Amino acid sequence: MFTTRRILIAAAAAASLLGVAQAQTGPAPGEGAKNVVLVHGAFADGSGWRGVYDNLTAMGYRVSIVQNPLTSLAEDVAATRRVIDRQDGPTILVGHSYGGTVITETGIHPKVTGLVYVSALAPDVHESTIDQFREFPLSPDLVIEEQSDGFAFVNGARFKTAFAGDASEADAAFMRDSQVATAMSAVKAKVSWAAWRVKPSWFVIATEDNVINPMLLRQTARRIGAVTEEIPGSHFVFHTQPKAVADVIDRAARAVGRVKR
């Protein structure tokens, strides 16, 4: 009897300690959303997400990165949907820059339980990416050079200033020289759905963004009712501040099980 009582007391103490530990560390990824899908923007590919990927996988998330063809909004949405279809449960969908337009259209997918916009656009129904700049025009440092076939590149001499002022010279040069030609028709295409109207959203504002005016980012975050965090960094904040961006995604993934909208 005495031995049994000691075992019960020890078990109760262990359970109490476990409860304290759980309260301190928060829920495991699987208790919210354990899957994260990352969507890049125009003139880029998915490789820029590597730092965010490394941080999230270290936290226990299953992370997938979309490679948008950047040939049209419809094809970018289809590429994103294919990756979401492969997820095995609740998923946080993350978009940077033009990728915000892609997740706005694709985020109605039933597996998507939350949206994270990283220095991104979030158009409403019947709005395009380019429509977002009516009140706050694109920075003059962003020089887009459209070719005769309707695809465009960012001017190389202005690339670092516009996109990656806080990146190293080597990293900025690599991103400049590996940029992906983007169909201008993609940024002019209007969305048919606005997932942020029905899904909870979070928003990272890069305070030193020299592509999308931070005032526009703040206005957009307010319009969609997002939980907002400002992070010092350039338009490529996900590359230069990967831990801070990953932490926002982590908080979103933990919260989706509790947030109702």
Side-chain angles (χ1 to χ4, degrees), residues 51-122:
V52 173
Y53 172 91
D54 288 345
N55 277 277
L56 289 173
T57 54
M59 295 176 191
Y61 291 98
R62 178 190 179 210
V63 185
S64 302
I65 300 173
V66 175
Q67 296 288 4
N68 283 325
L70 300 177
T71 49
S72 71
L73 176 60
E75 290 178 353
D76 294 337
V77 166
T80 301
R81 187 177 293 118
R82 288 186 201 104
V83 176
I84 299 171
D85 284 342
R86 292 172 56 83
Q87 306 308 303
D88 61 3
T91 300
I92 296 294
L93 186 58
V94 184
H96 171 252
S97 196
Y98 160 75
T101 300
V102 178
I103 72 169
T104 293
E105 179 85 355
T106 319
I108 59 167
H109 194 293
K111 289 184 180 179
V112 174
T113 52
L115 307 165
V116 178
Y117 291 85
V118 180
S119 244
L121 288 311

Side-chain angles (χ1 to χ4, degrees), residues 6-255:
R6 288 180 64 182
I7 292 172
L8 291 173
I9 291 172
S16 177
L17 289 172
L18 179 60
V20 170
Q22 289 176 333
Q24 291 174 339
T25 60
E31 295 177 9
K34 66 178 181 179
N35 301 311
V36 177
V37 172
L38 305 173
V39 182
H40 66 81
F43 311 110
D45 65 15
S47 63
W49 287 112
R50 180 59 189 269
V52 173
Y53 172 91
D54 288 345
N55 277 277
L56 289 173
T57 54
M59 295 176 191
Y61 291 98
R62 178 190 179 210
V63 185
S64 302
I65 300 173
V66 175
Q67 296 288 4
N68 283 325
L70 300 177
T71 49
S72 71
L73 176 60
E75 290 178 353
D76 294 337
V77 166
T80 301
R81 187 177 293 118
R82 288 186 201 104
V83 176
I84 299 171
D85 284 342
R86 292 172 56 83
Q87 306 308 303
D88 61 3
T91 300
I92 296 294
L93 186 58
V94 184
H96 171 252
S97 196
Y98 160 75
T101 300
V102 178
I103 72 169
T104 293
E105 179 85 355
T106 319
I108 59 167
H109 194 293
K111 289 184 180 179
V112 174
T113 52
L115 307 165
V116 178
Y117 291 85
V118 180
S119 244
L121 288 311
D124 204 346
V125 176
H126 305 314
E127 288 183 340
S128 69
T129 298
I130 206 69
D131 286 341
Q132 304 300 284
F133 295 95
R134 287 182 297 247
E135 188 174 347
F136 299 98
L138 284 163
S139 166
D141 287 315
L142 178 64
V143 178
I144 297 174
E145 298 172 338
E146 185 173 357
Q147 302 181 152
S148 59
D149 62 357
F151 284 78
F153 292 90
V154 175
N155 176 273
R158 296 284 191 91
F159 188 92
K160 187 178 190 304
T161 302
F163 276 87
D166 57 345
S168 70
E169 292 290 339
D171 283 351
F174 178 81
M175 289 184 280
R176 176 197 67 208
D177 296 337
S178 64
Q179 61 178 295
V180 180
T182 299
M184 294 307 293
S185 61
V187 300
K188 296 174 183 176
K190 299 182 185 297
V191 300
S192 301
W193 306 94
W196 50 264
R197 287 191 169 275
V198 293
K199 304 285 177 80
S201 59
W202 286 257
F203 208 106
V204 171
I205 294 170
T207 60
E208 310 303 321
D209 196 317
N210 204 25
V211 171
I212 305 174
N213 190 318
M215 294 177 66
L216 173 56
L217 294 173
R218 295 184 184 104
Q219 181 186 80
T220 302
R222 287 193 299 269
R223 179 172 81 154
I224 71 175
V227 177
T228 304
E229 182 160 339
E230 299 204 2
I231 298 175
S234 67
H235 188 61
F236 276 172
V237 66
F238 65 98
H239 174 81
T240 60
Q241 299 282 353
K243 178 62 164 61
V245 172
D247 285 345
V248 174
I249 298 168
D250 175 47
R251 287 192 286 276
R254 293 177 183 277

